Amino acid sequence: MPKLNKTAIINVVGLSKRIIGSKTPFLKQWVEGKNLSYIDPVLPAVTCSAQTTYLTGKWPSEHGIVANGWFFKEQQEIKLWAQSNKLVQSPSIWENAKARDPNFTCANMFWWYNMYSKVDYSVTPRPQYRADGLKVPDCYSFPPNLRQKLQQELGTFPLFDFWGPKTTIKSSEWIAKASLKVYEWHNPDLILIYLPHLDYALQKFGHDPKYVDQDLAEIDRVCAKLITALENKGVRVNILSEYGITDVHHPIHINRLLRSMDLIGVRKENGLEILDAGASKAFAMADHQVAHVYINDKSKTKEIENNLRAHPDIELVLNADEQPAYHINHDRSGDLVIVAKEKCWFTYYYWEDDMRAPDFARTVAIHNKPGYDPVEMFFDPKKKLIMPRILLKLLGKKLGFRTLMDFIPLDASLVKGSHGRIQLKDADKAVYIGHKGIESNLSPTAIHDVILSQIFS
């Protein structure tokens, strides 16, 4: 067997040509000696669908990851951010590489669907949800002792800097340092590294330099240390992103629209409303700028389709006959897949009165909400003395009291950046930055073979 080329794929989430410049001096210089390709977006251009398309070389219609979550029909429940690799219905790059060379090894550092995969080394976020209501920062690893070894060296994985209103560069720094440790200890042939920091800043503030210039400089410094260290070890380093983020200013409350058509079913619990997907005639699973509309009462299909096509802020409405052209036809997909127009995005909100919003709506609760909620990245600006309030509630939790960490607002207008659409300018598309000779425009399904060619050339 020929010697394999040590290869790193660094996923700088949200990176696009538009934001590589004076505020990212290392990346700007590093890119000048490389080939920058634009990646045409997969529908939907969201984390789980994009990553899985890259790693399998297949479309969502084949690998089954149609969004960051979907309606699990057997359970009649919407679930987002599941982590088992068994949900992926196509072989991933590490399986295909091992078929070519059984000695091939791979480390997956925080890319999604990491758990129970066939990689040799993996680390992924996995908080402890304790019976007393505490959510404790932690991560999951394979082999299991890798988690303990990393956290002894680097401290506990900073979960609350990874997602929520307290996100900082610390989570990406931790992942970068952990990746170097894993490479040093295990020397994998391929290491996949996920750096999420820009994703949060750009979704919160869009491209407003007043807010994001510091974040650009921070991720640039992390990339500089990580790339320099890997290249000094003889590793071929490539950078890609899952999507570019564009500015938005108009949320579409798609489930409230369906509710106005008398299609949404809710259960009332303690005076609050819980979306009852299985009892709804129709509902939407909103995910950034794309939503899957599931229709339980098929007699309503044409009426819903016509109303959505007439909506001024919806760009695409794809019925079952139209979905194959966009590679989104799968049993997990909605009866209709809809895409927002430029500057717009979909909320999951289904209640009509904020006083009846469920208790999880005002918390960071990614597994409870029936859709993606970027407002989780904000503290409620209407709540004064927010940090003392949080400290008091944390103290109560540590003393054994159950209390609700309800510091998230219900104001979708706070969100200034989003992604998911496929009609984009090149400057806003995801990018692949690697060695010379790669095509200037890439299909998302081509990334799989581009990475394999790096390893086996």
Side-chain angles (χ1 to χ4, degrees):
M1 290 281 185
K3 183 178 178 181
L4 304 182
N5 298 308
K6 300 294 183 181
T7 302
I9 307 296
I10 302 175
N11 181 355
V12 182
V13 186
L15 188 68
S16 64
K17 180 71 181 303
R18 183 181 300 282
I19 58 178
I20 300 174
S22 61
K23 302 303 177 182
T24 57
F26 173 82
L27 286 174
K28 181 182 179 184
Q29 183 179 22
W30 188 79
V31 168
E32 287 174 356
K34 304 290 188 297
N35 188 89
L36 186 148
S37 304
Y38 302 109
I39 306 174
D40 292 328
V42 61
L43 182 69
V46 299
T47 295
C48 294
S49 300
Q51 286 188 14
T52 308
T53 299
Y54 294 169
L55 294 177
T56 62
K58 305 295 183 183
W59 295 103
S61 56
E62 298 167 276
H63 60 61
I65 307 303
V66 298
N68 291 320
W70 52 87
F71 181 50
F72 284 70
K73 296 174 184 176
E74 300 89 346
Q75 300 180 53
Q76 293 288 288
E77 293 179 352
I78 300 166
K79 294 186 177 181
L80 280 87
W81 305 111
Q83 290 182 283
S84 171
N85 190 260
K86 305 304 180 186
L87 292 168
V88 179
Q89 297 176 340
S90 299
S92 294
I93 191 167
W94 46 83
E95 297 169 81
N96 296 330
K98 282 180 185 288
R100 292 176 65 169
D101 185 341
N103 297 316
F104 167 86
T105 58
C106 179
N108 185 342
M109 302 299 292
F110 285 76
W111 287 49
W112 211 250
Y113 299 118
N114 202 337
M115 293 177 66
Y116 317 119
S117 71
K118 294 180 180 179
V119 296
D120 301 274
Y121 313 99
S122 70
V123 189
T124 198
R126 189 69 169 181
Q128 299 176 24
Y129 292 98
R130 295 184 178 171
D132 61 1
L134 276 176
K135 180 165 66 176
V136 179
D138 205 347
C139 58
Y140 176 94
S141 77
F142 180 85
N145 64 352
L146 179 58
R147 161 182 164 268
Q148 180 180 357
K149 192 175 179 183
L150 283 171
Q151 294 194 133
Q152 283 176 341
E153 293 262 346
L154 303 174
T156 303
F157 172 64
L159 178 76
F160 300 128
D161 295 274
F162 181 81
W163 180 249
K166 190 180 162 290
T167 52
T168 71
I169 193 64
K170 290 179 182 178
S171 63
S172 291
E173 286 177 333
W174 195 99
I175 295 169
K177 290 175 182 177
S179 299
L180 289 175
K181 290 289 183 184
V182 169
Y183 190 85
E184 176 188 337
W185 295 336
H186 300 291
N187 197 33
D189 297 305
L190 173 64
I191 185 165
L192 303 164
I193 304 169
Y194 179 76
L195 301 180
H197 182 62
L198 277 185
D199 196 21
Y200 314 139
L202 291 170
Q203 285 190 63
K204 288 175 77 172
F205 305 119
H207 292 87
D208 189 335
K210 180 170 60 177
Y211 295 105
V212 301
D213 280 1
Q214 178 181 339
D215 297 284
L216 290 168
E218 288 174 341
I219 198 66
D220 190 64
R221 287 193 290 270
V222 171
C223 287
K225 291 179 182 178
L226 177 60
I227 291 171
T228 302
L230 288 170
E231 289 186 334
N232 286 341
K233 296 177 184 293
V235 179
R236 290 187 177 185
V237 177
N238 304 260
I239 286 178
L240 56 67
S241 56
E242 302 159 6
Y243 42 74
I245 293 175
T246 56
D247 294 342
V248 295
H249 59 70
H250 185 63
I252 306 168
H253 304 300
I254 182 62
N255 279 310
R256 288 177 178 168
L257 174 64
L258 296 175
R259 188 166 182 172
S260 72
M261 298 165 63
D262 195 28
L263 300 170
I264 296 288
V266 298
R267 298 193 312 272
K268 291 187 178 179
E269 297 181 358
N270 302 312
L272 307 178
E273 294 182 344
I274 306 295
L275 176 68
D276 194 342
S280 296
K281 296 175 184 176
F283 62 91
M285 195 293 296
D287 198 357
H288 298 85
Q289 293 179 300
V290 177
H292 288 266
V293 179
Y294 297 92
I295 303 173
N296 293 324
D297 184 346
K298 302 302 182 187
S299 70
K300 302 289 186 179
T301 300
K302 199 61 186 177
E303 175 191 357
I304 297 168
E305 181 179 342
N306 289 340
N307 283 344
L308 295 180
R309 289 191 190 280
H311 196 285
D313 297 321
I314 294 177
E315 182 172 74
L316 280 176
V317 178
L318 303 176
N319 61 30
D321 294 331
E322 296 164 318
Q323 290 175 22
Y326 293 84
H327 312 289
I328 193 64
N329 52 308
H330 191 277
D331 183 60
R332 293 170 176 169
S333 293
D335 298 275
L336 302 172
V337 177
I338 59 176
V339 183
K341 283 188 176 178
E342 188 177 13
K343 308 293 186 183
C344 302
W345 66 282
F346 295 110
T347 78
Y348 81 95
Y349 298 172
Y350 56 86
W351 56 90
E352 297 172 313
D353 180 350
D354 283 352
M355 295 297 291
R356 298 189 181 277
D359 57 0
F360 57 70
R362 294 179 173 87
T363 71
V364 177
I366 64 171
H367 299 299
N368 296 95
K369 297 178 180 179
Y372 175 71
D373 184 15
V375 186
E376 287 188 349
M377 291 184 289
F378 296 88
F379 285 119
D380 191 338
K382 295 178 181 177
K383 292 194 172 183
K384 306 301 181 186
L385 302 172
I386 196 78
M387 293 314 296
R389 287 186 184 208
I390 291 172
L391 291 172
L392 282 172
K393 290 206 173 190
L394 284 174
L395 178 61
K397 278 183 174 286
K398 289 181 179 180
L399 291 172
F401 296 100
R402 286 184 175 270
T403 183
L404 196 65
M405 304 298 284
D406 52 348
F407 299 113
I408 304 304
L410 300 180
D411 182 3
S413 69
L414 293 168
V415 176
K416 301 302 181 187
S418 192
H419 56 90
R421 297 174 64 250
I422 58 173
Q423 303 298 333
L424 299 173
K425 299 173 184 175
D426 281 350
D428 291 317
K429 291 180 179 178
V431 292
Y432 187 98
I433 305 167
H435 293 272
K436 299 288 185 180
I438 302 172
E439 294 179 15
S440 58
N441 282 86
L442 293 171
S443 164
T445 58
I447 302 301
H448 172 278
D449 288 350
V450 169
I451 297 172
L452 282 183
S453 71
Q454 294 277 321
I455 298 166
F456 288 101
S457 64

